[in-house]
């Protein structure tokens, strides 16, 4: 998976091209990954942090990289979701545009 990140004003614009699933496979199979039912994860992000889906990308094998954010608080969360299992796994979370840009750059490799 190749992520292209552009900064425009105070928001990040995330454009993703699914070139490989190098990012998603290790994250989804990591033994230390924190995964739970996707419905519950998404609801908790909204209820606890006011985060909503900001952008996503789908790999060739069907895993979904998702970025949730709350523009007011500048909090964000990166998930890898496994639609065939109904699970979402936490990859990273934090606050501020710079922190998100750094995490996405690290993930894209």
């Amino acid at each position: 998976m190749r992520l292209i990140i552009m900064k425009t004003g105070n928001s990040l614009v995330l454009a993703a091209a699914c070139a490989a699933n190098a990012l998603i496979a290790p994250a989804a199979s990591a033994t230390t990954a924190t995964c739970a039912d996707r419905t519950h994860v998404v609801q908790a992000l909204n209820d606890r942090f006011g985060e909503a889906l900001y952008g996503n990308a789908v790999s060739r094998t069907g895993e979904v990289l998702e970025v949730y954010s709350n523009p007011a608080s500048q909090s964000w969360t990166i998930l890898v979701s496994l639609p065939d299992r109904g699970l979402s796994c936490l990859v990273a979370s934090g606050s501020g545009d710079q922190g998100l840009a750094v995490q996405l750059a690290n993930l894209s490799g």
Side-chain angles (χ1 to χ4, degrees):
M1 171 146 324
R2 187 162 197 57
L3 299 174
I4 302 160
I5 305 159
M6 301 177 299
K7 181 154 176 131
T8 59
N10 288 331
S11 64
L12 290 175
V13 176
L14 171 67
C18 297
N21 74 3
L23 161 66
I24 292 177
S29 64
T31 58
T32 59
T34 302
C35 302
D37 178 83
R38 184 178 183 283
T39 303
H40 295 298
V41 171
V42 170
Q43 189 64 49
L45 290 174
N46 185 276
D47 291 347
R48 293 182 188 172
F49 307 106
E51 293 182 357
L53 184 62
Y54 179 77
N56 60 19
V58 181
S59 75
R60 287 184 285 181
T61 56
E63 294 90 355
V64 182
L65 174 73
E66 298 178 291
V67 177
Y68 285 79
S69 70
N70 177 335
S73 69
Q74 293 193 336
S75 70
W76 50 265
T77 303
I78 301 172
L79 303 174
V80 170
S81 291
L82 310 169
D84 59 333
R85 296 186 197 171
L87 295 175
S88 287
C89 302
L90 176 66
V91 175
S93 62
S95 63
D97 284 355
Q98 289 239 321
L100 177 57
V102 167
Q103 287 296 323
L104 290 172
N106 288 339
L107 290 173
S108 66

